[in-house]
């Protein structure tokens, strides 16, 4: 199932031709309308005319989040404010928020991309989409909303939070598709169980979850507990919002809409591209954005490129499941640790509710990592020996996965704070 | 003859045990016996109460990790060697005891011992055949 078969299934030659033409237009637009880009190009003696082939992409300078912050709020816009019809902003989780703008055409393109994404994720115009992404400055809510309307589905703009009401509406209105963060989907499943509601009482059949990295195990957990098929959606406000990439029902990597974005994966330290299949930092160049073209934007998201064609027939390269962010990455005693690694271990152990918290402390000059894990009823035993065995097993599995020593602490259910947006998985108490 | 024991997972920090006892007090549930097994980080509270099904439900609703386990309540003579006679029987029959806790009952002149064993039915049979007084559940709940 496609939303736009013509553009989703372009042959390679057509796609490359379209990409080059659009890249050249974007580079020109950035150079002539954004002082920041003009300076950056001039600094390395590059002119828009030097981009003659797609491989010339690598000649272009990188853009980083700080560039957007330095030009706060509107300095990176390539059109006058009279052309801007919408302003969004990043969540500001890593500092001062970044502001992004959209022209009428950008909103149109974004709606098209989100309609494609929703169809790719299993939705049709007959679906009732319960959109539990936050509405507001965050791009998630309105991004899905416009896509759902473009698709012609019935959208419930419920936004995030008020979980019991979410469940009541899901049941009473017969929502068939749920869109939110994966951690919130799990929270909904948990509250549902507490309320004694089973998935059989719902009409839910698909979930489209994103805005934070999650694991294959977490997918299975969500699918089982909500009785749905769940796919991962990717995007970031600096590039457009959700709708940059999405999994199809093959669930084997996220398709990037290549007629609108060029993706590269680089080594975050050497900044050189890495071969397909190798983990690195995702870099995105927008091809059609008018208000805020981004050139080689460093996303800080860790993934790898899959070039093999997908069974669904879409033409674009895919990105492997995201394994974390370069800035979530903890360096503990010289070892790179991603919270998502901990999550996959916990889920593999079976039975463990995936509620956990990493706490990093430093005593003297030695870092130590503690992982708190909530004990669910299925893990609990009235025998100390059993719980100690569980602790030992977790300890062993975590150490062999992370490659550093870990202290495992079993904690009571609900003692780790729940979030209704992005989950807090790490507390770093080191004063670095 | 089998008694329902309520077990609760507790973190080893102040106020957690009180949170359980407060809830039981509010719900007018009477604790007949209890024991706590503790490790560095957590403890397991084991309770015999007058209304185990209700206690389980209330604790679960309040968000505790809780389970119900069947145990045996046995009356043993409250004199030197009283416990030993019972345990000797268990040892002879090769019944492994996971844990036990004891208290002195208000009625009769016996001490009451709560046994947690893996092979509950076998233990029950052995004790009865050896003339050990296994108390029925209602008697324990309503001591």
């Amino acid at each position: 199932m496609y939303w736009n078969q013509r553009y989703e299934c372009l042959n390679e030659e057509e796609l490359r031709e379209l990409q080059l033409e659009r890249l050249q237009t974007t580079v020109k637009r950035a150079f002539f309308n954004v002082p920041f880009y003009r300076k950056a190009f001039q600094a390395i003696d590059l002119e828009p005319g030097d981009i003659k082939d797609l491989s010339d992409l690598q000649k272009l300078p990188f853009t980083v989040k700080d560039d957007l912050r330095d030009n706060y709020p509107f300095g990176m816009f390539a059109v006058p404010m009279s052309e801007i019809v919408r302003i969004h902003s990043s969540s500001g989780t890593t500092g001062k928020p970044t502001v992004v703008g959209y022209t009428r055409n950008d909103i149109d393109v974004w709606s098209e991309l989100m309609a494609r994404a929703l169809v790719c994720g299993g939705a049709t115009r007959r679906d009732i989409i319960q959109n539990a992404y936050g509405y507001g400055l965050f791009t998630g809510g309105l991004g899905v909303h416009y896509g759902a309307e473009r698709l012609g589905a019935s959208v419930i703009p419920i936004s995030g939070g008020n979980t019991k009401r979410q469940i009541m509406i899901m049941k009473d209105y017969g929502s068939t598709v749920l869109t939110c963060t994966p951690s919130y989907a799990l929270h909904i499943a948990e509250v549902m169980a507490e309320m004694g509601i089973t998935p059989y009482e719902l009409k839910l059949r698909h979930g489209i979850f994103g805005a934070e990295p999650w694991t294959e195990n977490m997918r299975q957990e969500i699918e089982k507990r909500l009785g749905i098929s769940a796919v991962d959606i990717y995007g970031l406000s600096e590039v457009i919002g959700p709708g940059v990439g999405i999994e199809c029902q093959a669930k084997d990597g996220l398709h990037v809409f290549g007629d609108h974005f060029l993706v590269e994966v680089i080594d975050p330290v050497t900044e050189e591209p890495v071969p397909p299949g190798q983990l690195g930092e995702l870099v995105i160049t927008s091809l059609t954005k008018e208000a805020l073209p981004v050139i080689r934007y460093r996303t800080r998201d860790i993934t790898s490129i899959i070039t093999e064609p997908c069974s669904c027939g879409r033409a674009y390269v895919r990105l492997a499941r995201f394994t974390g962010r370069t800035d979530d990455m903890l360096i503990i005693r010289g070892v790179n640790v991603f919270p998502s690694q901990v999550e996959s271990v916990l889920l593999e152990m079976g039975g463990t509710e995936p509620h956990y918290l990493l706490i990093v402390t430093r005593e003297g000059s030695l870092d130590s990592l503690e992982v708190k894990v909530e004990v669910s009823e299925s893990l609990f035993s009235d025998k100390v020996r059993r719980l100690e065995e569980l602790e030992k097993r977790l300890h062993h599995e975590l150490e062999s996965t992370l490659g550093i020593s870990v202290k495992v602490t079993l904690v009571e259910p609900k003692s780790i704070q729940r979030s209704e947006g992005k989950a807090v998985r790490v507390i770093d108490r080191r004063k670095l | 003859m089998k008694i329902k024991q309520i077990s609760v997972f507790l973190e080893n920090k102040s106020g957690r045990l009180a949170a359980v006892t407060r809830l039981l007090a509010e719900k007018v549930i009477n604790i007949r016996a209890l024991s706590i097994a503790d490790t560095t980080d957590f403890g397991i509270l084991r309770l015999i109460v007058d209304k185990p099904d209700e206690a389980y439900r209330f604790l679960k609703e309040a968000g505790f990790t809780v389970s119900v386990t069947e145990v045996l309540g046995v009356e043993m003579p409250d004199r030197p060697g009283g416990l030993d006679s019972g345990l000797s029987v268990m040892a002879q029959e090769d019944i492994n005891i996971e844990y036990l806790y004891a208290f002195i009952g208000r009625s009769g002149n016996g001490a009451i011992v709560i046994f947690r064993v893996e092979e509950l039915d076998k233990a029950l049979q052995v004790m009865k055949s050896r003339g050990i007084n296994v108390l029925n559940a209602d008697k324990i709940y309503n001591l």
Side-chain angles (χ1 to χ4, degrees), chain A residues 375 377 380-385 387-388 407 411-413 415, chain B residues 7 11 16 37 39 46 56 60 63 65-66 98-99 116 118:
Chain A
V375 177
E377 197 153 320
F380 180 55
S381 165
D382 61 312
K383 297 176 203 166
V384 173
R385 179 160 46 91
L387 288 179
E388 283 180 340
K407 175 182 177 355
V411 298
E412 288 175 30
S415 61
Chain B
S7 307
E11 275 176 57
R16 297 314 300 150
T39 71
R46 298 151 183 159
Y56 173 77
K60 197 174 153 70
T65 295
V66 43
E98 294 285 346
Y99 56 81
R116 166 76 160 106
E118 209 55 85

PDB file of all heavy atoms in Angstrom, chain A residues 375 377 380-385 387-388 407 411-413 415, chain B residues 7 11 16 37 39 46 56 60 63 65-66 98-99 116 118:
ATOM      1  N   VAL A 375      10.587  -4.279  39.860  1.00  0.00           N
ATOM      2  CA  VAL A 375      10.207  -5.694  39.947  1.00  0.00           C
ATOM      3  C   VAL A 375       8.716  -5.828  39.680  1.00  0.00           C
ATOM      4  O   VAL A 375       7.892  -5.297  40.414  1.00  0.00           O
ATOM      5  CB  VAL A 375      10.515  -6.249  41.352  1.00  0.00           C
ATOM      6  CG1 VAL A 375      10.054  -7.697  41.466  1.00  0.00           C
ATOM      7  CG2 VAL A 375      11.995  -6.134  41.643  1.00  0.00           C
ATOM      8  N   GLU A 377       5.208  -8.219  39.035  1.00  0.00           N
ATOM      9  CA  GLU A 377       4.638  -9.380  39.713  1.00  0.00           C
ATOM     10  C   GLU A 377       5.159 -10.695  39.127  1.00  0.00           C
ATOM     11  O   GLU A 377       5.370 -11.652  39.848  1.00  0.00           O
ATOM     12  CB  GLU A 377       3.113  -9.321  39.597  1.00  0.00           C
ATOM     13  CG  GLU A 377       2.434 -10.225  40.600  1.00  0.00           C
ATOM     14  CD  GLU A 377       1.039  -9.723  40.947  1.00  0.00           C
ATOM     15  OE1 GLU A 377       0.857  -8.491  41.083  1.00  0.00           O
ATOM     16  OE2 GLU A 377       0.155 -10.545  41.071  1.00  0.00           O
ATOM     17  N   PHE A 380       8.492 -11.487  40.698  1.00  0.00           N
ATOM     18  CA  PHE A 380       8.562 -11.514  42.150  1.00  0.00           C
ATOM     19  C   PHE A 380       8.446 -12.941  42.683  1.00  0.00           C
ATOM     20  O   PHE A 380       7.766 -13.787  42.116  1.00  0.00           O
ATOM     21  CB  PHE A 380       7.448 -10.643  42.721  1.00  0.00           C
ATOM     22  CG  PHE A 380       7.419 -10.592  44.212  1.00  0.00           C
ATOM     23  CD1 PHE A 380       8.543 -10.219  44.928  1.00  0.00           C
ATOM     24  CD2 PHE A 380       6.264 -10.935  44.908  1.00  0.00           C
ATOM     25  CE1 PHE A 380       8.519 -10.173  46.311  1.00  0.00           C
ATOM     26  CE2 PHE A 380       6.228 -10.887  46.283  1.00  0.00           C
ATOM     27  CZ  PHE A 380       7.357 -10.507  46.999  1.00  0.00           C
ATOM     28  N   SER A 381       9.119 -13.180  43.779  1.00  0.00           N
ATOM     29  CA  SER A 381       8.986 -14.450  44.480  1.00  0.00           C
ATOM     30  C   SER A 381       9.041 -14.162  45.964  1.00  0.00           C
ATOM     31  O   SER A 381       9.633 -13.174  46.393  1.00  0.00           O
ATOM     32  CB  SER A 381      10.140 -15.367  44.084  1.00  0.00           C
ATOM     33  OG  SER A 381      10.212 -16.438  44.989  1.00  0.00           O
ATOM     34  N   ASP A 382       8.391 -15.024  46.757  1.00  0.00           N
ATOM     35  CA  ASP A 382       8.482 -14.829  48.203  1.00  0.00           C
ATOM     36  C   ASP A 382       9.805 -15.358  48.728  1.00  0.00           C
ATOM     37  O   ASP A 382      10.092 -15.272  49.901  1.00  0.00           O
ATOM     38  CB  ASP A 382       7.306 -15.533  48.906  1.00  0.00           C
ATOM     39  CG  ASP A 382       7.316 -17.035  48.656  1.00  0.00           C
ATOM     40  OD1 ASP A 382       7.460 -17.427  47.484  1.00  0.00           O
ATOM     41  OD2 ASP A 382       7.197 -17.796  49.626  1.00  0.00           O
ATOM     42  N   LYS A 383      10.615 -15.953  47.824  1.00  0.00           N
ATOM     43  CA  LYS A 383      11.907 -16.494  48.249  1.00  0.00           C
ATOM     44  C   LYS A 383      13.028 -15.533  47.895  1.00  0.00           C
ATOM     45  O   LYS A 383      13.152 -15.109  46.750  1.00  0.00           O
ATOM     46  CB  LYS A 383      12.169 -17.828  47.554  1.00  0.00           C
ATOM     47  CG  LYS A 383      11.169 -18.896  47.908  1.00  0.00           C
ATOM     48  CD  LYS A 383      11.461 -20.136  47.100  1.00  0.00           C
ATOM     49  CE  LYS A 383      10.225 -20.987  46.992  1.00  0.00           C
ATOM     50  NZ  LYS A 383      10.379 -21.998  45.961  1.00  0.00           N
ATOM     51  N   VAL A 384      13.843 -15.234  48.877  1.00  0.00           N
ATOM     52  CA  VAL A 384      14.980 -14.331  48.682  1.00  0.00           C
ATOM     53  C   VAL A 384      15.904 -14.877  47.602  1.00  0.00           C
ATOM     54  O   VAL A 384      16.397 -14.146  46.751  1.00  0.00           O
ATOM     55  CB  VAL A 384      15.749 -14.162  50.011  1.00  0.00           C
ATOM     56  CG1 VAL A 384      17.015 -13.362  49.785  1.00  0.00           C
ATOM     57  CG2 VAL A 384      14.866 -13.498  51.050  1.00  0.00           C
ATOM     58  N   ARG A 385      16.085 -16.201  47.653  1.00  0.00           N
ATOM     59  CA  ARG A 385      17.028 -16.839  46.716  1.00  0.00           C
ATOM     60  C   ARG A 385      16.661 -16.520  45.265  1.00  0.00           C
ATOM     61  O   ARG A 385      17.517 -16.176  44.446  1.00  0.00           O
ATOM     62  CB  ARG A 385      16.976 -18.356  46.967  1.00  0.00           C
ATOM     63  CG  ARG A 385      17.856 -19.204  46.100  1.00  0.00           C
ATOM     64  CD  ARG A 385      18.080 -20.569  46.770  1.00  0.00           C
ATOM     65  NE  ARG A 385      16.820 -21.136  47.272  1.00  0.00           N
ATOM     66  CZ  ARG A 385      16.046 -21.942  46.543  1.00  0.00           C
ATOM     67  NH1 ARG A 385      16.357 -22.242  45.310  1.00  0.00           N
ATOM     68  NH2 ARG A 385      14.932 -22.436  47.060  1.00  0.00           N
ATOM     69  N   LEU A 387      14.968 -13.989  44.027  1.00  0.00           N
ATOM     70  CA  LEU A 387      15.197 -12.589  43.671  1.00  0.00           C
ATOM     71  C   LEU A 387      16.690 -12.300  43.543  1.00  0.00           C
ATOM     72  O   LEU A 387      17.111 -11.528  42.682  1.00  0.00           O
ATOM     73  CB  LEU A 387      14.552 -11.662  44.708  1.00  0.00           C
ATOM     74  CG  LEU A 387      13.023 -11.597  44.661  1.00  0.00           C
ATOM     75  CD1 LEU A 387      12.489 -10.681  45.742  1.00  0.00           C
ATOM     76  CD2 LEU A 387      12.533 -11.120  43.303  1.00  0.00           C
ATOM     77  N   GLU A 388      17.462 -12.955  44.389  1.00  0.00           N
ATOM     78  CA  GLU A 388      18.908 -12.754  44.278  1.00  0.00           C
ATOM     79  C   GLU A 388      19.447 -13.353  42.982  1.00  0.00           C
ATOM     80  O   GLU A 388      20.348 -12.801  42.353  1.00  0.00           O
ATOM     81  CB  GLU A 388      19.617 -13.343  45.501  1.00  0.00           C
ATOM     82  CG  GLU A 388      19.464 -12.405  46.699  1.00  0.00           C
ATOM     83  CD  GLU A 388      20.135 -12.906  47.966  1.00  0.00           C
ATOM     84  OE1 GLU A 388      20.395 -14.131  48.055  1.00  0.00           O
ATOM     85  OE2 GLU A 388      20.399 -12.089  48.852  1.00  0.00           O
ATOM     86  N   LYS A 407      26.053  -2.071  38.889  1.00  0.00           N
ATOM     87  CA  LYS A 407      25.342  -2.468  40.103  1.00  0.00           C
ATOM     88  C   LYS A 407      23.854  -2.512  39.750  1.00  0.00           C
ATOM     89  O   LYS A 407      23.320  -1.550  39.218  1.00  0.00           O
ATOM     90  CB  LYS A 407      25.599  -1.439  41.205  1.00  0.00           C
ATOM     91  CG  LYS A 407      24.809  -1.695  42.485  1.00  0.00           C
ATOM     92  CD  LYS A 407      25.123  -0.573  43.482  1.00  0.00           C
ATOM     93  CE  LYS A 407      24.388  -0.592  44.781  1.00  0.00           C
ATOM     94  NZ  LYS A 407      23.370  -1.547  45.048  1.00  0.00           N
ATOM     95  N   VAL A 411      13.900  -2.428  42.377  1.00  0.00           N
ATOM     96  CA  VAL A 411      13.091  -1.432  43.087  1.00  0.00           C
ATOM     97  C   VAL A 411      11.605  -1.732  42.916  1.00  0.00           C
ATOM     98  O   VAL A 411      11.208  -2.525  42.059  1.00  0.00           O
ATOM     99  CB  VAL A 411      13.403   0.018  42.616  1.00  0.00           C
ATOM    100  CG1 VAL A 411      14.850   0.367  42.916  1.00  0.00           C
ATOM    101  CG2 VAL A 411      13.091   0.196  41.138  1.00  0.00           C
ATOM    102  N   GLU A 412      10.812  -1.099  43.744  1.00  0.00           N
ATOM    103  CA  GLU A 412       9.368  -1.331  43.722  1.00  0.00           C
ATOM    104  C   GLU A 412       8.740  -0.773  42.446  1.00  0.00           C
ATOM    105  O   GLU A 412       9.232   0.201  41.890  1.00  0.00           O
ATOM    106  CB  GLU A 412       8.716  -0.649  44.936  1.00  0.00           C
ATOM    107  CG  GLU A 412       9.018  -1.343  46.239  1.00  0.00           C
ATOM    108  CD  GLU A 412       8.470  -0.585  47.440  1.00  0.00           C
ATOM    109  OE1 GLU A 412       7.443   0.094  47.295  1.00  0.00           O
ATOM    110  OE2 GLU A 412       9.081  -0.666  48.510  1.00  0.00           O
ATOM    111  N   PRO A 413       7.633  -1.362  42.020  1.00  0.00           N
ATOM    112  CA  PRO A 413       6.954  -0.833  40.840  1.00  0.00           C
ATOM    113  C   PRO A 413       6.536   0.619  41.048  1.00  0.00           C
ATOM    114  O   PRO A 413       6.239   1.012  42.176  1.00  0.00           O
ATOM    115  CB  PRO A 413       5.729  -1.733  40.685  1.00  0.00           C
ATOM    116  CG  PRO A 413       5.644  -2.558  41.891  1.00  0.00           C
ATOM    117  CD  PRO A 413       6.964  -2.547  42.579  1.00  0.00           C
ATOM    118  N   SER A 415       8.238   3.151  41.219  1.00  0.00           N
ATOM    119  CA  SER A 415       9.141   4.021  41.972  1.00  0.00           C
ATOM    120  C   SER A 415      10.025   4.828  41.028  1.00  0.00           C
ATOM    121  O   SER A 415      10.614   5.816  41.409  1.00  0.00           O
ATOM    122  CB  SER A 415       9.975   3.214  42.966  1.00  0.00           C
ATOM    123  OG  SER A 415      10.771   2.276  42.284  1.00  0.00           O
TER     124      SER A 415
ATOM    125  N   SER B   7       2.897 -12.109  50.281  1.00  0.00           N
ATOM    126  CA  SER B   7       4.281 -11.638  50.252  1.00  0.00           C
ATOM    127  C   SER B   7       4.342 -10.311  49.499  1.00  0.00           C
ATOM    128  O   SER B   7       3.702 -10.161  48.468  1.00  0.00           O
ATOM    129  CB  SER B   7       5.181 -12.651  49.552  1.00  0.00           C
ATOM    130  OG  SER B   7       5.019 -13.923  50.138  1.00  0.00           O
ATOM    131  N   GLU B  11      11.365  -2.118  49.044  1.00  0.00           N
ATOM    132  CA  GLU B  11      12.727  -1.597  48.968  1.00  0.00           C
ATOM    133  C   GLU B  11      13.231  -1.344  50.375  1.00  0.00           C
ATOM    134  O   GLU B  11      12.451  -1.006  51.262  1.00  0.00           O
ATOM    135  CB  GLU B  11      12.731  -0.272  48.200  1.00  0.00           C
ATOM    136  CG  GLU B  11      12.814  -0.453  46.726  1.00  0.00           C
ATOM    137  CD  GLU B  11      12.710   0.887  46.021  1.00  0.00           C
ATOM    138  OE1 GLU B  11      13.528   1.773  46.306  1.00  0.00           O
ATOM    139  OE2 GLU B  11      11.773   1.040  45.220  1.00  0.00           O
ATOM    140  N   ARG B  16       8.732   2.230  53.953  1.00  0.00           N
ATOM    141  CA  ARG B  16       8.079   1.294  53.037  1.00  0.00           C
ATOM    142  C   ARG B  16       7.193   0.296  53.791  1.00  0.00           C
ATOM    143  O   ARG B  16       6.083   0.007  53.382  1.00  0.00           O
ATOM    144  CB  ARG B  16       9.117   0.554  52.171  1.00  0.00           C
ATOM    145  CG  ARG B  16       9.924   1.450  51.268  1.00  0.00           C
ATOM    146  CD  ARG B  16       9.073   2.461  50.527  1.00  0.00           C
ATOM    147  NE  ARG B  16       8.070   1.816  49.669  1.00  0.00           N
ATOM    148  CZ  ARG B  16       6.898   2.345  49.365  1.00  0.00           C
ATOM    149  NH1 ARG B  16       6.553   3.527  49.849  1.00  0.00           N
ATOM    150  NH2 ARG B  16       6.069   1.713  48.584  1.00  0.00           N
ATOM    151  N   ALA B  37      12.231 -11.000  55.312  1.00  0.00           N
ATOM    152  CA  ALA B  37      13.543 -11.463  54.873  1.00  0.00           C
ATOM    153  C   ALA B  37      14.185 -10.267  54.204  1.00  0.00           C
ATOM    154  O   ALA B  37      13.558  -9.633  53.354  1.00  0.00           O
ATOM    155  CB  ALA B  37      13.380 -12.605  53.889  1.00  0.00           C
ATOM    156  N   THR B  39      17.646  -8.268  52.328  1.00  0.00           N
ATOM    157  CA  THR B  39      18.980  -8.265  51.747  1.00  0.00           C
ATOM    158  C   THR B  39      19.448  -6.815  51.834  1.00  0.00           C
ATOM    159  O   THR B  39      18.773  -5.987  52.440  1.00  0.00           O
ATOM    160  CB  THR B  39      18.941  -8.709  50.271  1.00  0.00           C
ATOM    161  OG1 THR B  39      18.321  -7.668  49.514  1.00  0.00           O
ATOM    162  CG2 THR B  39      18.139  -9.995  50.097  1.00  0.00           C
ATOM    163  N   ARG B  46       6.440 -11.037  54.593  1.00  0.00           N
ATOM    164  CA  ARG B  46       5.484 -12.153  54.487  1.00  0.00           C
ATOM    165  C   ARG B  46       4.470 -12.009  55.597  1.00  0.00           C
ATOM    166  O   ARG B  46       4.827 -11.842  56.763  1.00  0.00           O
ATOM    167  CB  ARG B  46       6.212 -13.479  54.612  1.00  0.00           C
ATOM    168  CG  ARG B  46       7.221 -13.704  53.499  1.00  0.00           C
ATOM    169  CD  ARG B  46       8.339 -14.552  53.985  1.00  0.00           C
ATOM    170  NE  ARG B  46       9.361 -14.743  52.963  1.00  0.00           N
ATOM    171  CZ  ARG B  46      10.601 -15.101  53.256  1.00  0.00           C
ATOM    172  NH1 ARG B  46      10.974 -15.274  54.511  1.00  0.00           N
ATOM    173  NH2 ARG B  46      11.475 -15.264  52.289  1.00  0.00           N
ATOM    174  N   TYR B  56      -4.626  -8.976  49.507  1.00  0.00           N
ATOM    175  CA  TYR B  56      -3.927  -9.076  48.226  1.00  0.00           C
ATOM    176  C   TYR B  56      -4.447  -8.009  47.267  1.00  0.00           C
ATOM    177  O   TYR B  56      -3.679  -7.274  46.644  1.00  0.00           O
ATOM    178  CB  TYR B  56      -4.126 -10.466  47.633  1.00  0.00           C
ATOM    179  CG  TYR B  56      -3.588 -10.610  46.229  1.00  0.00           C
ATOM    180  CD1 TYR B  56      -2.222 -10.746  45.999  1.00  0.00           C
ATOM    181  CD2 TYR B  56      -4.442 -10.590  45.126  1.00  0.00           C
ATOM    182  CE1 TYR B  56      -1.718 -10.859  44.717  1.00  0.00           C
ATOM    183  CE2 TYR B  56      -3.947 -10.709  43.830  1.00  0.00           C
ATOM    184  CZ  TYR B  56      -2.586 -10.843  43.630  1.00  0.00           C
ATOM    185  OH  TYR B  56      -2.090 -10.946  42.360  1.00  0.00           O
ATOM    186  N   LYS B  60      -2.323  -4.790  45.869  1.00  0.00           N
ATOM    187  CA  LYS B  60      -2.077  -4.742  44.429  1.00  0.00           C
ATOM    188  C   LYS B  60      -2.602  -3.429  43.845  1.00  0.00           C
ATOM    189  O   LYS B  60      -1.921  -2.761  43.076  1.00  0.00           O
ATOM    190  CB  LYS B  60      -2.775  -5.932  43.775  1.00  0.00           C
ATOM    191  CG  LYS B  60      -2.295  -6.243  42.375  1.00  0.00           C
ATOM    192  CD  LYS B  60      -2.949  -7.530  41.910  1.00  0.00           C
ATOM    193  CE  LYS B  60      -3.087  -7.579  40.409  1.00  0.00           C
ATOM    194  NZ  LYS B  60      -1.820  -7.739  39.703  1.00  0.00           N
ATOM    195  N   GLY B  63      -0.472  -0.543  44.226  1.00  0.00           N
ATOM    196  CA  GLY B  63       0.739  -0.500  43.422  1.00  0.00           C
ATOM    197  C   GLY B  63       1.899  -1.318  43.953  1.00  0.00           C
ATOM    198  O   GLY B  63       3.011  -1.241  43.431  1.00  0.00           O
ATOM    199  N   THR B  65       4.144  -4.746  44.575  1.00  0.00           N
ATOM    200  CA  THR B  65       4.328  -6.052  43.961  1.00  0.00           C
ATOM    201  C   THR B  65       4.020  -7.074  45.036  1.00  0.00           C
ATOM    202  O   THR B  65       4.682  -7.116  46.071  1.00  0.00           O
ATOM    203  CB  THR B  65       5.764  -6.223  43.463  1.00  0.00           C
ATOM    204  OG1 THR B  65       5.994  -5.291  42.425  1.00  0.00           O
ATOM    205  CG2 THR B  65       5.989  -7.627  42.916  1.00  0.00           C
ATOM    206  N   VAL B  66       3.008  -7.894  44.816  1.00  0.00           N
ATOM    207  CA  VAL B  66       2.532  -8.763  45.874  1.00  0.00           C
ATOM    208  C   VAL B  66       2.175 -10.124  45.287  1.00  0.00           C
ATOM    209  O   VAL B  66       1.802 -10.229  44.118  1.00  0.00           O
ATOM    210  CB  VAL B  66       1.337  -8.087  46.613  1.00  0.00           C
ATOM    211  CG1 VAL B  66       0.387  -7.459  45.648  1.00  0.00           C
ATOM    212  CG2 VAL B  66       0.588  -9.025  47.520  1.00  0.00           C
ATOM    213  N   GLU B  98      11.801 -24.158  52.858  1.00  0.00           N
ATOM    214  CA  GLU B  98      12.310 -22.913  52.260  1.00  0.00           C
ATOM    215  C   GLU B  98      12.571 -21.890  53.351  1.00  0.00           C
ATOM    216  O   GLU B  98      13.606 -21.241  53.388  1.00  0.00           O
ATOM    217  CB  GLU B  98      11.291 -22.359  51.265  1.00  0.00           C
ATOM    218  CG  GLU B  98      11.070 -23.234  50.037  1.00  0.00           C
ATOM    219  CD  GLU B  98      12.217 -23.149  49.051  1.00  0.00           C
ATOM    220  OE1 GLU B  98      13.039 -22.231  49.178  1.00  0.00           O
ATOM    221  OE2 GLU B  98      12.283 -24.017  48.155  1.00  0.00           O
ATOM    222  N   TYR B  99      11.586 -21.711  54.227  1.00  0.00           N
ATOM    223  CA  TYR B  99      11.759 -20.841  55.383  1.00  0.00           C
ATOM    224  C   TYR B  99      10.623 -21.103  56.350  1.00  0.00           C
ATOM    225  O   TYR B  99       9.621 -21.761  56.008  1.00  0.00           O
ATOM    226  CB  TYR B  99      11.814 -19.361  55.001  1.00  0.00           C
ATOM    227  CG  TYR B  99      10.623 -18.859  54.209  1.00  0.00           C
ATOM    228  CD1 TYR B  99       9.426 -18.513  54.848  1.00  0.00           C
ATOM    229  CD2 TYR B  99      10.698 -18.683  52.825  1.00  0.00           C
ATOM    230  CE1 TYR B  99       8.339 -18.044  54.115  1.00  0.00           C
ATOM    231  CE2 TYR B  99       9.627 -18.221  52.090  1.00  0.00           C
ATOM    232  CZ  TYR B  99       8.446 -17.904  52.736  1.00  0.00           C
ATOM    233  OH  TYR B  99       7.378 -17.436  52.027  1.00  0.00           O
ATOM    234  N   ARG B 116       7.101 -22.820  54.994  1.00  0.00           N
ATOM    235  CA  ARG B 116       7.015 -22.672  53.541  1.00  0.00           C
ATOM    236  C   ARG B 116       7.846 -23.805  52.974  1.00  0.00           C
ATOM    237  O   ARG B 116       9.064 -23.840  53.190  1.00  0.00           O
ATOM    238  CB  ARG B 116       7.572 -21.315  53.125  1.00  0.00           C
ATOM    239  CG  ARG B 116       7.858 -21.181  51.629  1.00  0.00           C
ATOM    240  CD  ARG B 116       6.591 -20.988  50.834  1.00  0.00           C
ATOM    241  NE  ARG B 116       6.880 -20.413  49.528  1.00  0.00           N
ATOM    242  CZ  ARG B 116       6.839 -21.106  48.386  1.00  0.00           C
ATOM    243  NH1 ARG B 116       6.539 -22.380  48.389  1.00  0.00           N
ATOM    244  NH2 ARG B 116       7.092 -20.503  47.239  1.00  0.00           N
ATOM    245  N   GLU B 118       8.412 -26.639  49.488  1.00  0.00           N
ATOM    246  CA  GLU B 118       8.164 -26.797  48.064  1.00  0.00           C
ATOM    247  C   GLU B 118       7.056 -27.832  47.842  1.00  0.00           C
ATOM    248  O   GLU B 118       6.108 -27.586  47.123  1.00  0.00           O
ATOM    249  CB  GLU B 118       9.463 -27.225  47.371  1.00  0.00           C
ATOM    250  CG  GLU B 118       9.607 -26.784  45.927  1.00  0.00           C
ATOM    251  CD  GLU B 118       9.464 -25.268  45.713  1.00  0.00           C
ATOM    252  OE1 GLU B 118      10.456 -24.518  45.862  1.00  0.00           O
ATOM    253  OE2 GLU B 118       8.334 -24.856  45.403  1.00  0.00           O
TER     254      GLU B 118
END
